[in-house]
Amino acid sequence: MLKVSIWRGVDEGEFIDYEVPMRANQTVLDIVTEVQRNQEPDLAYRFACRVGVCGSCAMTVNGRPRWTCRSHVNDVIDGDRLVLEPLRSHPRIRDLVVDLAPFFETWKGSGAVFKPSATRDDKPVKITADDPARKNADAGIECINCAVCYSACDVVSWDKNYLGPAALNRAWTLVNDAKHGERKETLNKALGDGGCGSCHSMGNCTRNCPVGLSPSAGIAGLKKFALRGLPKVEKP
Amino acid sequence: MTVVRGLFIAQRYSAMLLAPFVLIHLALIIIVVRNGLTAEEILSRTNGSTLWFVFYVAFVLAVTVHAPIGVRNVLNEWTRLSGGVVNVICLCLALLMLSTGLRAVFAVT
């Protein structure tokens, strides 16, 4: 049997221990579902796709933030024990569910909202796959918004002004996007209060990103652009 | 350009200047101490020297730009002081560094 401690409550609460049968090919999300279906029907947790696309099932597993649907129990277990908590640095709603609204608010602060540079009547911009700016954008574009990097970041945990790695990674993809109409504004916001200058380059975001992105590299790139200015991209 | 971006750029460029300046300054101290020069001997070499005057004026200016911006970041991140108070503290620090630094440069060159 697998021993699982799950946080029950909101800010005030306690860890409750459960025993779950050990099976081959179990993910952490499978364990939570097993507990919810067979032992604790009112256990609150969040998931949707179960295949690592939607980014909604992230939790703290044995002290580290992870996407639980793609985290195999054998890879993350400590002895015969799993400790599951909500993601840190987010307001808690109940049990394993956190409020992601403040996390998505940070995206606005970093200027990470796409503004078209052309209309449907204009010809599309020609962008080649080997364009350096496109390569930069491609390197960060697969973010699934799971908030694991945000939760892993120590600066986020103590500096409430800091926008966090996900929002800055998004800003990095946009300042490299020829189709984005406000590249300069996005760069200024990403370099503004609580932006790249607050990053301590600890790399927890990159270490924990479940899809293997490097927000640290994007933040370093934004800092370079602060000194050198934006790279040229194809005009629409 | 935002103020924060301007400060970021100023701090990075001043750091680029300070890196060689600090190495030269440290090397100078070590050479002087190892050779056992007296204060009078040191002053006889620095007095009237345009080279050392320009070097140390540039050094003081770079420190005056670099250090208060760093202290501003630390205070903003680690204290609950308001942004305005932090700015005033750092401006005072910059003025203190500038005045004491230039005073020292004028005294020995």
Side-chain angles (χ1 to χ4, degrees):
Chain A
M1 296 293 272
L2 189 68
K3 288 174 187 157
V4 189
S5 296
I6 300 180
W7 178 261
R8 302 299 316 276
V10 189
D11 292 322
E12 299 287 319
E14 59 180 334
F15 284 100
I16 306 286
D17 292 336
Y18 304 92
E19 290 205 337
V20 179
M22 188 91 87
R23 297 193 175 94
N25 297 321
Q26 271 174 315
T27 65
V28 175
L29 185 62
D30 291 336
I31 298 292
V32 180
T33 302
E34 174 115 15
V35 171
Q36 193 265 339
R37 288 192 182 167
N38 299 321
Q39 301 182 44
E40 200 77 80
D42 69 341
L43 174 68
Y45 68 112
R46 185 189 281 135
F47 73 98
C49 76
R50 299 180 299 164
V51 289
V53 174
C54 72
S56 57
C57 68
M59 300 168 200
T60 305
V61 182
N62 284 355
R64 277 183 66 174
R66 295 182 184 276
W67 55 353
T68 55
C69 68
R70 297 287 296 271
S71 295
H72 200 284
V73 169
N74 290 344
D75 294 335
V76 300
I77 197 165
D78 182 13
D80 62 349
R81 193 165 194 83
L82 273 182
V83 180
L84 306 179
E85 302 165 71
L87 284 179
R88 112 181 140 145
S89 300
H90 300 272
R92 293 178 175 187
I93 294 177
R94 188 163 70 86
D95 300 343
L96 298 168
V97 181
V98 294
D99 182 3
L100 290 171
F103 166 67
F104 288 113
E105 278 299 312
T106 62
W107 290 47
K108 291 182 196 165
S110 72
V113 179
F114 179 78
K115 292 278 163 46
S117 57
T119 68
R120 67 180 67 188
D121 302 318
D122 297 310
K123 281 189 176 174
V125 189
K126 278 185 186 167
I127 300 171
T128 55
D130 59 352
D131 178 70
R134 190 62 236 168
K135 281 185 177 173
N136 285 340
D138 283 344
I141 206 107
E142 299 291 347
C143 174
I144 58 170
N145 319 331
C146 63
V148 162
C149 60
Y150 188 86
S151 178
C153 177
D154 286 336
V155 181
V156 167
S157 74
W158 70 61
D159 183 354
K160 296 304 162 203
N161 280 330
Y162 183 44
L163 297 167
L168 293 172
N169 177 70
R170 170 74 176 156
W172 169 243
T173 63
L174 284 180
V175 298
N176 281 291
D177 187 348
K179 303 184 298 305
H180 182 43
E182 295 186 352
R183 295 170 64 231
K184 203 178 281 180
E185 291 79 0
T186 298
L187 182 63
N188 274 337
K189 282 189 179 174
L191 295 164
D193 265 329
C196 298
S198 299
C199 171
H200 287 224
S201 307
M202 287 184 282
N204 284 342
C205 50
T206 301
R207 182 162 180 250
N208 287 282
C209 175
V211 288
L213 304 184
S214 178
S216 312
I219 292 168
L222 287 166
K223 287 177 178 173
K224 271 186 201 161
F225 286 177
L227 298 175
R228 297 178 190 168
L230 282 168
K232 286 182 181 167
V233 293
E234 294 292 329
K235 294 279 181 203
Chain B
M1 186 185 294
T2 61
V3 173
V4 180
R5 182 178 173 188
L7 291 175
F8 176 83
I9 292 170
Q11 201 189 23
R12 288 307 188 273
Y13 280 127
S14 58
M16 283 166 63
L17 290 174
L18 280 171
F21 284 3
V22 169
L23 288 177
I24 293 169
H25 181 60
L26 287 175
L28 183 75
I29 292 170
I30 291 166
I31 289 167
V32 166
V33 170
R34 283 172 70 93
N35 286 344
L37 293 177
T38 62
E40 280 175 4
E41 286 168 330
I42 294 167
L43 285 173
S44 72
R45 286 163 170 76
T46 57
N47 274 337
S49 167
T50 311
L51 178 73
W52 288 123
F53 176 77
V54 172
F55 174 78
Y56 276 108
V57 166
F59 196 138
V60 167
L61 291 177
V63 170
T64 301
V65 170
H66 186 82
I69 298 174
V71 172
R72 180 180 180 272
N73 291 340
V74 172
L75 291 178
N76 275 331
E77 193 171 314
W78 285 101
T79 69
R80 293 174 182 224
L81 297 171
S82 74
V85 172
V86 168
N87 286 343
V88 170
I89 291 172
C90 293
L91 197 63
C92 291
L93 183 65
L95 290 172
L96 182 71
M97 285 177 161
L98 185 68
S99 57
T100 53
L102 288 182
R103 183 168 168 265
V105 174
F106 280 108
V108 298
T109 57

